[in-house]
Amino acid sequence: MNLQKEDAPDRRRYRIALIPGDGIGGEVVPAARQVLESLGLDLTFVELAAGWETFQREGTALPAETLAALERCHGALFGAVSSPSHRVEGYTSPIIALRRHLDLYANLRPVVSAPVPGSQPDVDLLIVRENTECLYVKQEQLEDDGETAVARRVITRRASARIARVAFERARARQAASARPGRSPRVTVVHKANVLPLTDGLFRETALAVAADYPDVAVEEQIVDSMAYRLIREPQRYDVILAPNLYGDILSDAAAALVGGLGLVASANVGDRFVVAEPVHGSAPDIAGQGIANPVATVRAAALLLAALGEPEAAGRIERAVGRVLADGIWTPDLGGTARTGQVTRAIIQALQSS
Ligand SMILES: NC(=O)C1=CN([C@@H]2O[C@H](COP(=O)(O)OP(=O)(O)OC[C@H]3O[C@@H](n4cnc5c(N)ncnc54)[C@H](O)[C@@H]3O)[C@@H](O)[C@H]2O)C=CC1
Ligand SMILES: O=C(O)CCCC(=O)C(=O)O
């Protein structure tokens, strides 16, 4: 995947879109921007609108100007949006729309132990989630009698094969980077083909066929409900977990709970030409506006963005700085600490500058 703009005059100058969205998105994205600004890279930022507040103001949650501006950026950092849980005429989740519009077909979610309370030791896994289809095609309808609602679930061989390739390639790359020393690379294919033999069956069958091209990577399969159970019982045994969209979404929030919570876990929505990085969490309306949101997930998302753009060294520096701050016990309340968003952010910047 080469995400760098071919027409970029200088590959080491990046124009980055910032889409804070709603709720704590407006707190954690500026925090991540400060961290990015402290790196000494040649970055310019373009702030773009999307989300529920944008919808209320402009009648669309993903304005055409946002999409047009993204075309001129190398990548984007997304905060979170507040999507209502009831139908609102004309509203559609902008992050789901962006993933499909930009064909960001791989949602990569690293889940790694952290030196914080509640984190299990020795967890180092990657959830590779298909990001464009399944129930997220959002084709729902209410039947004429108003008593039955139907959703279409789409699984294609093409999308299943390309996400499976990402999973196997990542398993190889993780092995090369010694992510799990002494253990062989492995992909766990998640499905529910025992109940849904056509849709999940196609996902499963396609992933297992792709596995044949990767004899050096072990493959196993796991039905999604027992996957949830085993993930919680024994997260250390997993390496790369490959899942259709909805299962991957649910498993990644559960996995976050194993390593300190949603305040720490980031993701990258990756396609062949673009990347949108974001925290796994949502807009957290219960804590929005209080200055206590944990910025780490979004700072880590910024690191994933830099890595995808071809700046692994800067990404590594951010990760190491975050690790030091967490080890020093500079924690927001979700981790049991008393630090505020700004204090954690400043500590990360200080750790970067002293590295
Ligand atoms: N990618 C996106 O934009 C996503 C958006 N959402 C939206 O977010 C809204 C709220 O959804 P919820 O179910 O409450 O999930 P949520 O992820 O926003 O919050 C779940 C819990 O985790 C806590 N939390 C999340 N991020 C945190 C952080 N950085 N620091 C400290 N605590 C944090 C929250 O306070 C809350 O108790 C909904 O409107 C939903 O549509 C949810 C998930 C992803
Ligand atoms: O609330 C929204 O607008 C989107 C929530 C989707 C989500 O949790 C994910 O795909 O990671």
Side-chain angles (χ1 to χ4, degrees):
M1 274 177 269
N2 177 10
L3 298 159
Q4 295 159 35
K5 283 259 147 79
E6 274 159 29
D7 56 357
D10 175 346
R11 287 184 184 280
R12 294 179 66 82
R13 293 177 92 174
Y14 304 102
R15 180 194 285 265
I16 294 182
L18 300 175
I19 309 175
D22 302 307
I24 63 167
E27 302 169 50
V28 291
V29 168
R33 175 183 181 151
Q34 286 175 39
V35 172
L36 285 168
E37 282 172 339
S38 75
L39 288 169
L41 295 175
D42 193 350
L43 307 176
T44 52
F45 298 96
V46 188
E47 191 140 332
L48 303 175
W52 176 242
E53 283 179 26
T54 303
F55 175 76
Q56 285 171 314
R57 224 177 29 244
E58 302 184 27
T60 171
L62 187 58
E65 303 84 71
T66 295
L67 287 175
L70 282 173
E71 292 289 327
R72 296 189 293 276
C73 293
H74 293 86
L77 185 63
F78 189 93
V81 292
S82 296
S83 293
S85 293
H86 55 277
R87 185 166 180 270
V88 174
E89 187 66 38
Y91 181 89
T92 190
S93 165
I95 186 64
I96 306 293
L98 266 182
R99 291 169 183 164
R100 282 172 62 81
H101 179 82
L102 298 168
D103 199 23
L104 306 173
Y105 57 87
N107 193 328
L108 307 177
R109 302 185 145 182
V111 177
V112 182
S113 297
V116 298
S119 175
Q120 301 253 0
D122 302 322
V123 178
D124 185 348
L125 61 87
L126 176 71
I127 296 178
V128 175
R129 163 184 170 193
E130 202 292 321
N131 217 22
T132 59
E133 51 182 36
C134 188
L135 284 169
Y136 290 64
V137 296
K138 288 164 61 75
Q139 294 174 16
E140 292 187 295
Q141 73 181 59
L142 200 56
E143 296 201 343
D144 289 343
D145 61 2
E147 299 296 317
T148 306
V150 179
R152 188 157 180 257
R153 181 168 188 252
V154 177
I155 302 284
T156 65
R157 197 182 301 280
R158 173 176 171 271
S160 303
R162 68 180 178 173
I163 194 65
R165 288 211 181 278
V166 172
F168 283 94
E169 290 292 335
R170 291 280 163 167
R172 263 188 190 161
R174 283 163 58 79
Q175 171 78 356
S178 356
R180 301 161 77 245
R183 286 188 273 183
S184 55
R186 179 166 42 180
V187 172
T188 305
V189 182
V190 178
H191 60 79
K192 187 82 185 176
N194 51 329
V195 176
L196 299 167
L198 296 186
T199 47
D200 275 343
L202 182 58
F203 187 84
R204 168 185 178 273
E205 169 196 317
T206 308
L208 295 179
V210 168
D213 293 340
Y214 296 85
D216 51 319
V217 180
V219 63
E220 63 179 7
E221 52 182 296
Q222 195 73 56
I223 293 171
V224 63
D225 41 358
S226 63
M227 179 73 231
Y229 176 77
R230 297 185 72 167
L231 180 64
I232 288 164
R233 293 278 291 210
E234 203 190 351
Q236 294 82 359
R237 86 175 283 284
Y238 293 98
D239 180 10
V240 172
I241 296 174
L242 167 64
N245 208 337
L246 179 63
Y247 305 154
D249 189 358
I250 296 168
L251 289 174
S252 41
D253 274 41
L258 299 168
V259 295
L262 283 169
L264 298 183
V265 183
S267 65
N269 301 281
V270 182
D272 290 333
R273 293 182 47 248
F274 205 74
V275 59
V276 177
E278 56 166 335
V280 168
H281 64 69
S283 60
D286 53 339
I287 58 163
Q290 298 176 34
I292 55 167
N294 192 336
V296 166
T298 311
V299 169
R300 283 181 152 166
L304 292 179
L305 175 60
L306 289 176
L309 291 176
E311 297 290 342
E313 195 192 321
R317 283 182 62 209
I318 294 180
E319 267 302 328
R320 286 191 295 279
V322 164
R324 273 206 299 283
V325 168
L326 293 178
D328 285 348
I330 305 171
W331 301 331
T332 40
D334 54 304
L335 299 174
T338 54
R340 302 179 61 79
T341 310
Q343 285 169 277
V344 175
T345 308
R346 284 191 293 280
I348 295 171
I349 293 169
Q350 237 169 33
L352 271 169
Q353 286 168 347
S354 62
S355 65

